[in-house]
Amino acid sequence: MSTATTTPTGVNAAPAASRGTAAGDLSRLVVRALRHETRTPDALIVNIALPVIIMILFVYVFGGAITTGSSGLAYIDFVVPTVLLMAGGYGAALTAVNVAEDMAKGMIDRFRTLPIGGWTVPASHVVTSLLRNVLATALALAVAVALGFRPRATPAEWALVLALVAGYVLAVSALAVAWGLLVRSAQAAGVFGFVVIFFPYVSDGVVPAETMPGPLRSFAEHQPVTPVVEVLRALLLDQPLGNAGWLAAAWLSAGVLAGIPAAAVLFRRRTSA
């Protein structure tokens, strides 16, 4: 007498023998996402163009009327580190929309029939965002140099700049994936992008925090973007670092440590329903 066996459904249901490696699953999903990006280049163009347009607007329209306070920097040098974060951060925030669209259009249901680890699906969105938005930041930097920005970083400092930008993009991407899994539509997911691009404006990045009125100045000095901007200025322009280094590391670590577990839990809940 034979005993019937059943196989549960879900992304983790396939027999182990039929699975590829986790790294292989992740790389294939990242390639799939990057190919999708090449078919819809408008998002990448907006991702790069919006911060660059903002930079040109502030430097050439408002720059002559804005002082940089005690830093003594030319305005283009003062604002470019913030623009770099805008370029990477805004694009990373749009990952929430990509995740929400995958959930709404049934792509995740298709993934559930494949012999892949469930965690690789949200992880692929984070890795894709990291690759795409570090590139967007590099392009924004090239435009800034063309406009007159002159960094003075050493090779070691450039390596730290890359690590800092990558850490910022990683933290925002992880939180974006969690938000995209939490909401139920791409429109709601898009709200995250407005939140992320708002923070650089109310920081020490666009105008000196010391010029703001009391409560606003306090918020600007103690929110996450300010220490990251200050570290970028210190590395790129030989400015004082102060305690910004460990503050930036603490904020970025908090974003990653909050976003990745939240994304894992939310993905498990959404796909087990």
Side-chain angles (χ1 to χ4, degrees):
M1 179 175 178
S2 62
T3 301
T5 60
T6 59
T7 302
T9 59
V11 288
N12 295 314
S18 65
R19 291 179 180 274
T21 64
D25 293 340
L26 180 60
S27 64
R28 283 186 286 273
L29 288 172
V30 170
V31 169
R32 170 250 173 192
L34 290 174
R35 285 177 176 171
H36 180 72
E37 295 285 345
T38 62
R39 298 189 187 102
T40 55
D42 52 322
L44 181 59
I45 292 171
V46 171
N47 188 81
I48 298 168
L50 181 60
V52 169
I53 291 171
I54 291 171
M55 176 170 57
I56 292 171
L57 178 66
F58 274 97
V59 170
Y60 291 111
V61 178
F62 304 130
I66 299 176
T67 62
T68 58
S70 58
S71 70
L73 294 171
Y75 187 68
I76 188 170
D77 293 332
F78 182 85
V79 79
V80 162
T82 312
V83 172
L84 299 183
L85 294 184
M86 287 181 176
Y90 181 66
L94 294 180
T95 304
V97 177
N98 296 336
V99 172
E101 286 180 343
D102 273 357
M103 298 299 295
K105 293 180 180 179
M107 183 59 67
I108 301 301
D109 290 334
R110 181 180 177 186
F111 288 148
R112 291 174 68 183
T113 67
L114 301 176
I116 60 175
W119 68 270
T120 59
V121 178
S124 68
H125 282 284
V126 174
V127 174
T128 302
S129 174
L130 185 62
L131 295 174
R132 181 183 69 240
N133 291 298
V134 168
L135 173 61
T137 303
L139 293 175
L141 176 61
V143 174
V145 170
L147 293 175
F149 179 62
R150 294 295 179 263
R152 299 186 289 273
T154 65
E157 288 170 335
W158 276 114
L160 291 174
V161 167
L162 176 60
L164 185 64
V165 170
Y168 182 74
V169 171
L170 178 62
V172 175
S173 300
L175 293 170
V177 170
W179 178 255
L181 290 166
L182 181 65
V183 299
R184 297 287 174 168
S185 69
Q187 291 79 8
V191 172
F192 189 72
F194 290 100
V195 173
V196 169
I197 207 167
F198 165 78
F199 271 84
Y201 285 108
V202 193
S203 73
D204 193 46
V206 176
V207 297
E210 64 195 48
T211 65
M212 299 178 185
L216 194 60
R217 175 178 178 174
S218 180
F219 176 80
E221 290 176 341
H222 296 94
Q223 59 117 316
V225 172
T226 291
V228 181
V229 169
E230 289 176 349
V231 174
L232 282 177
R233 286 201 191 109
L235 293 172
L236 291 170
L237 300 164
D238 195 25
Q239 292 288 296
L241 182 60
N243 61 357
W246 71 265
L247 285 173
W251 276 115
L252 296 182
S253 298
V256 173
L257 294 176
I260 290 178
V265 170
L266 290 166
F267 184 78
R268 191 177 302 116
R269 288 180 179 177
R270 291 287 301 269
T271 56
S272 63

